[in-house]
Amino acid sequence: MTNFPEVQQITGRVVISEPIPQTRFETVKAVVAPASPADAAQWTEAGVIDTRGFTHLTLSLAGTLQGSAQAGAIGVALVPDVPELLNALRTHGAAPFALRAEAEVTAPLGGFFSSGSTTVRIGFPRYRVFLYNATSKSAEALVYAYLSGS
């Protein structure tokens, strides 16, 4: 073990009781009411993802429309859990620094939708999960977030 400068000396026995996680897989499930991508005030808020200790996130989205299938898009925006940025979202409809994925809904798939996976570098310790639905039917959506250290 390497010691730090004099002000941070470590003495005694150092024990790590369990492995430090290198990855974590999170899912967030929500029923998403219709709301256009441009109308952030109507987006469905679906929880928080804690990203502390990780450097990258692979984000994807899948689900089904309720009722008959129709064309449109379902999207997820992970907005940094910072008061000023959440205020910008609620007041101005802007989502600065948001991590996003979007899935097209097509009638031939019977209302099933799924996005591609997007891997991005994490810049904040927590993100709030918001979803929008640019169809006229509610949707059941699952957000998949794979957190990793590299």
Side-chain angles (χ1 to χ4, degrees):
M1 176 161 72
T2 304
N3 257 329
F4 291 100
E6 201 58 44
V7 295
Q8 298 176 340
Q9 284 294 309
I10 298 172
T11 60
R13 185 170 176 217
V14 176
V15 176
I16 298 174
S17 61
E18 58 187 65
I20 297 169
Q22 298 299 307
T23 62
R24 188 173 75 228
F25 183 67
E26 300 250 349
T27 59
V28 176
K29 186 176 183 177
V31 173
V32 186
S36 79
D39 190 8
Q42 298 301 312
W43 290 358
T44 300
E45 188 169 356
V48 174
I49 295 178
D50 186 342
T51 57
R52 279 178 279 189
F54 299 97
T55 59
H56 290 83
L57 175 130
T58 301
L59 182 64
S60 53
L61 170 71
T64 55
L65 277 184
Q66 296 177 340
S68 59
Q70 54 186 266
I74 312 292
V76 60
L78 301 184
V79 178
D81 192 11
V82 174
E84 296 81 8
L85 300 178
L86 293 170
N87 186 51
L89 178 70
R90 292 181 182 115
T91 305
H92 306 292
F97 311 115
L99 310 177
R100 299 174 184 264
E102 187 174 86
E104 293 296 321
V105 180
T106 59
L109 292 177
F112 174 78
F113 56 88
S114 66
S115 71
S117 294
T118 304
T119 300
V120 294
R121 189 160 180 83
I122 296 170
F124 295 86
R126 283 172 40 108
Y127 289 84
R128 290 196 185 261
V129 180
F130 290 92
L131 294 123
Y132 61 84
N133 174 358
T135 73
S136 62
K137 302 281 185 180
S138 292
E140 290 186 24
L142 273 165
V143 176
Y144 299 98
Y146 179 76
L147 300 156
S148 65
S150 59

